């Protein structure tokens, strides 16, 4: 066991790493920054992912990505060369649909996010509202004054949206003045790394809204274990034999800690390894859930440690 040791696997004796991974039955991978970046596989990730499956281990994909539907995510993974089954892909849209179903939710959902999550919610039987708002020169005060709120809206969902405009945030904030309107988000990450650059993620938008409406959102993607659907309750996967591989401390590593899974942080471009090292050095128990068990610069060498 390497619990929260932040062990650099490439610096440990290979035999020790092989022994550690021999006790793992199920591996859960994130997508952006781990398996691929936009529409390009990260070097060595396809080979490593497929090696996991060829060695008889179950490999799942769990992602907060919401610009694509679950079916489109499956097609993307297959086209990029990942040997994954559609039923082994889990997304934040599935977690949101199950949450709304549990609450017997019947109202409309304002979605600040990509088309994928809107389509998934529609397929699950929910009415997601797309505000037809275009950038214009109208003053914010005039926009708010003329805004008419739909009384049948019962939730605001904040997801990643590459085309977010200011008026959409104004709409969301005004609906959320009503405490009966649910405030939901897919994740708490402030940004997604894009090479050496960064793209705002749902967490940054949700934080901005939180300041205005003085309410905290319910996070339904990772680190919430709801993203795995019934797998946890059914006992189909055993926490002590499950490994999460991701590049985000707040989503992937915290998700692993909450579920009592083991964890591997990969990637060097988003500052996560430096933050994890600082938390470990400071020794603050409240933050230690963000420290991974192990680290690799990328997924590429992972296959070398799998048992034959």
């Amino acid at each position: 066991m390497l619990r929260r040791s932040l062990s650099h696997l490439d610096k440990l004796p290979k035999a020790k790493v092989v022994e550690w991974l021999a006790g793992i039955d199920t591996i859960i991978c994130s997508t952006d920054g781990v398996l691929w970046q936009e529409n390009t596989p990260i070097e060595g990730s396809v080979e490593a992912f497929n090696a996991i499956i060829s060695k008889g281990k179950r490999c799942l994909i769990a992602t907060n990505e919401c610009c694509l539907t679950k079916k489109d995510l499956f097609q993307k993974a297959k086209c990029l060369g990942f040997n994954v089954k559609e039923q082994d892909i889990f997304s934040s849209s599935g977690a949101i649909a199950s949450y709304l179903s549990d609450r017997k939710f019947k109202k409309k959902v304002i979605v600040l996010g990509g088309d994928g999550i809107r389509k998934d919610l529609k397929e699950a039987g929910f009415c997601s509202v797309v505000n037809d708002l275009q950038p214009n020169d109208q003053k914010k005060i005039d926009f708010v004054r003329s805004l008419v709120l739909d009384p049948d809206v019962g939730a605001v969902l904040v997801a990643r949206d590459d085309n977010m405009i200011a008026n959409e945030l104004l709409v969301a904030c005004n609906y959320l003045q009503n405490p009966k309107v649910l405030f939901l988000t897919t994740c708490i990450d402030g940004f997604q790394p894009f090479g050496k650059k960064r793209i705002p993620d749902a967490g940054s938008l949700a934080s901005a809204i939180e300041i205005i409406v003085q309410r905290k959102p319910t996070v339904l993607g990772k680190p919430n274990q709801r993203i795995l659907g019934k797998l946890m309750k059914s006992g189909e996967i055993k926490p002590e034999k499950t490994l999460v591989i991701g590049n985000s401390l707040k989503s992937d590593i915290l998700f692993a800690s909450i579920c009592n899974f083991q964890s591997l942080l990969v990637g060097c471009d988003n500052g996560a390894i430096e933050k994890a090292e600082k938390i470990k050095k400071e020794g603050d128990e409240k933050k230690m859930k963000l420290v991974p068990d192990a680290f690799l610069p990328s997924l590429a060498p992972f296959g070398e440690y799998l048992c034959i």
Side-chain angles (χ1 to χ4, degrees), residues 52-248:
I52 293 169
I53 295 173
S54 69
K55 297 301 182 181
K57 299 182 187 294
R58 186 177 184 186
C59 202
L60 312 178
I61 289 177
T63 177
N64 289 339
E65 186 176 336
C66 58
C67 294
L68 299 176
T69 65
K70 180 180 176 180
K71 289 181 180 179
D72 288 340
L73 276 169
F74 169 65
Q75 290 300 325
K76 177 177 180 177
K78 295 296 287 185
C79 287
L80 293 179
F82 295 96
N83 187 20
V84 65
K85 299 176 181 177
E86 186 172 356
Q87 62 266 31
D88 287 338
I89 294 179
F90 298 85
S91 68
S92 54
S93 59
I96 292 160
S98 73
Y99 176 82
L100 295 175
S101 294
D102 288 349
R103 297 178 69 94
K104 295 180 171 54
F105 185 86
K106 300 296 182 184
K107 290 197 166 189
K108 298 176 183 176
V109 183
I110 290 283
V111 180
L112 279 65
D115 288 339
I117 200 163
R118 293 189 182 103
K119 292 176 181 177
D120 277 343
L121 288 177
K122 182 178 179 180
E123 187 173 328
F126 299 102
C127 178
S128 60
V129 181
V130 181
N131 280 289
D132 187 19
L133 301 173
Q134 300 298 326
N136 55 55
D137 297 327
Q138 185 179 18
K139 293 181 179 179
K140 290 182 176 62
I141 191 168
D142 292 333
F143 175 82
V144 173
R145 184 181 291 120
S146 63
L147 179 63
V148 178
L149 301 180
D150 183 348
D152 202 33
V153 167
V156 170
L157 168 61
V158 182
R160 189 190 310 173
D161 189 343
D162 298 335
N163 300 305
M164 179 67 64
I165 61 176
N167 284 353
E168 289 183 286
L169 290 175
L170 288 173
V171 170
C173 291
N174 279 277
Y175 273 110
L176 289 170
Q177 296 300 315
N178 181 352
K180 293 183 179 180
V181 174
L182 303 175
F183 182 14
L184 313 176
T185 188
T186 54
C187 71
I188 53 179
D189 284 317
F191 67 92
Q192 278 286 328
F194 185 71
K196 297 294 184 180
K197 300 177 182 179
R198 297 180 176 185
I199 299 173
D201 209 340
S204 59
L205 302 174
S207 293
I209 294 172
E210 179 183 338
I211 292 171
I212 297 169
V213 302
Q214 295 295 292
R215 293 174 57 187
K216 289 187 175 295
T218 298
V219 182
L220 292 171
K222 293 178 295 182
N224 193 325
Q225 62 182 335
R226 182 181 283 270
I227 197 170
L228 292 179
K230 299 178 181 178
L231 284 184
M232 293 293 289
K233 292 182 179 179
S234 68
E236 191 174 337
I237 56 177
K238 296 177 173 58
E240 70 277 7
K241 293 181 175 289
T242 301
L243 173 67
V244 171
I245 302 178
N247 69 336
S248 166

